[in-house]
Amino acid sequence: MIEQHKIWQNEWRKIMGKPINVDIEPNCDFDLHFDIWDLEKDLFFKLFEKFPRGNQIAQRAYQLKWGDLGELNKKLTDEELIQQTKIIVEVLQKIQPSDDLIDPKIVFKKGGNELRLELLSQADPISIELDDEFSTFVKKSTGNEGYNTYFFLSEPLYRLSSSYTPCNWILWCLTDYQDLNPYTLLLNMKYNGCDVALTENEVLIYKLTNEKN
């Protein structure tokens, strides 16, 4: 994996007009992590040509950064947010069943960022078990090449918004579960200002609102 990552690192740096063969590990190469988002569209897409399903990856990344978010940005009422969370639970249970998601109690809360940080510090993302097994699904679907791609691209795509939900939505196309992408629903929740987390006894929906609310 490391050797292949160095090859891709040099290919990216060449496309970006950067020096190659630098003494920096790809997962620590900030040029790869940040400067790709300053490229023109044709060069940005060129970065992904060598990867399995690379054009689809590029399309998704480009959409989130510069494109029309469409249904991903659809605004939901509080009741719709609760119903969507129930669907998220159903989808996750179809892909990566978890005892914690068997008929869970769903709690909806609103508030400012201070309370949000406090509550989330005691919780895990609702998709944590799937997140942990993500690379396994990729390897089953697109083999070692997809597996290497996943680990090479995870860090640059995380830098898009400092969140793994958009990153995982993009890289889910490396799996063969396209009709069951929980990250599509979670991304919509994110664009509605909501975190969906798993606490010890319940599923928490936390909607970030104005501090005055």
Side-chain angles (χ1 to χ4, degrees), residues 8 43 58 61 86 107 130-131 137 139 144 148 163 182 212:
W8 286 333
L43 291 179
K86 292 178 180 179
V107 176
L130 178 58
D131 299 343
F137 284 93
K139 193 167 188 177
N144 286 331
N148 289 343
S163 169
K212 295 180 181 180

Side-chain angles (χ1 to χ4, degrees), residues 11-169:
E11 288 176 348
W12 274 32
R13 294 186 68 87
K14 186 175 181 180
I15 291 170
M16 298 165 67
K18 306 280 187 181
I20 63 173
N21 296 319
V22 294
D23 189 22
I24 306 171
E25 292 301 314
N27 63 346
C28 298
D29 190 341
F30 286 171
D31 288 340
L32 271 57
H33 299 169
F34 294 102
D35 291 1
I36 64 170
W37 306 106
D38 295 327
L39 294 175
E40 297 294 331
K41 183 176 181 179
D42 58 337
L43 291 179
F44 182 79
F45 273 71
K46 190 174 179 64
L47 294 175
F48 298 90
E49 288 179 348
K50 299 290 183 66
F51 300 115
R53 304 179 185 175
N55 186 66
Q56 190 175 357
I57 294 171
Q59 290 280 2
R60 290 187 179 186
Y62 190 87
Q63 178 184 2
L64 293 192
K65 181 64 176 179
W66 299 286
D68 180 2
L69 296 175
E71 287 295 306
L72 292 173
N73 199 33
K74 181 181 179 181
K75 298 308 175 186
L76 303 176
T77 65
D78 291 352
E79 180 58 35
E80 288 172 333
L81 292 170
I82 294 170
Q83 291 304 314
Q84 177 142 302
T85 299
K86 292 178 180 179
I87 296 173
I88 290 169
V89 170
E90 292 175 3
V91 173
L92 287 171
Q93 287 295 74
K94 289 178 181 178
I95 302 171
Q96 184 70 28
S98 168
D99 291 344
D100 292 327
L101 293 178
I102 298 175
D103 194 25
K105 178 183 178 182
I106 296 177
V107 176
F108 184 89
K109 294 184 179 181
K110 297 181 182 181
N113 197 50
E114 184 175 349
L115 178 59
R116 171 182 175 271
L117 294 175
E118 177 185 343
L119 293 175
L120 294 183
S121 70
Q122 306 169 46
D124 292 312
I126 192 174
S127 59
I128 186 169
E129 292 195 24
L130 178 58
D131 299 343
D132 290 343
E133 294 298 320
F134 199 123
S135 61
T136 301
F137 284 93
V138 169
K139 193 167 188 177
K140 287 180 181 178
S141 301
T142 48
N144 286 331
E145 189 177 10
Y147 186 77
N148 289 343
T149 295
Y150 168 76
F151 283 104
F152 181 78
L153 292 180
S154 291
E155 192 63 25
L157 294 178
Y158 168 81
R159 301 291 183 172
L160 170 62
S161 59
S162 298
S163 169
Y164 281 109
T165 298
C167 172
N168 289 346
W169 178 75

Side-chain angles (χ1 to χ4, degrees), residues 146-208:
Y147 186 77
N148 289 343
T149 295
Y150 168 76
F151 283 104
F152 181 78
L153 292 180
S154 291
E155 192 63 25
L157 294 178
Y158 168 81
R159 301 291 183 172
L160 170 62
S161 59
S162 298
S163 169
Y164 281 109
T165 298
C167 172
N168 289 346
W169 178 75
I170 294 168
L171 292 178
W172 192 249
C173 65
L174 289 170
T175 76
D176 289 335
Y177 297 84
Q178 296 308 294
D179 293 334
L180 291 173
N181 186 347
Y183 298 106
T184 302
L185 302 170
L186 287 168
L187 195 54
N188 183 216
M189 297 291 286
K190 177 180 174 64
Y191 285 133
N192 273 271
C194 292
D195 295 281
V196 187
L198 187 63
T199 70
E200 187 175 351
N201 301 310
E202 61 197 25
V203 170
L204 169 67
I205 307 168
Y206 189 83
K207 185 172 183 178
L208 186 62

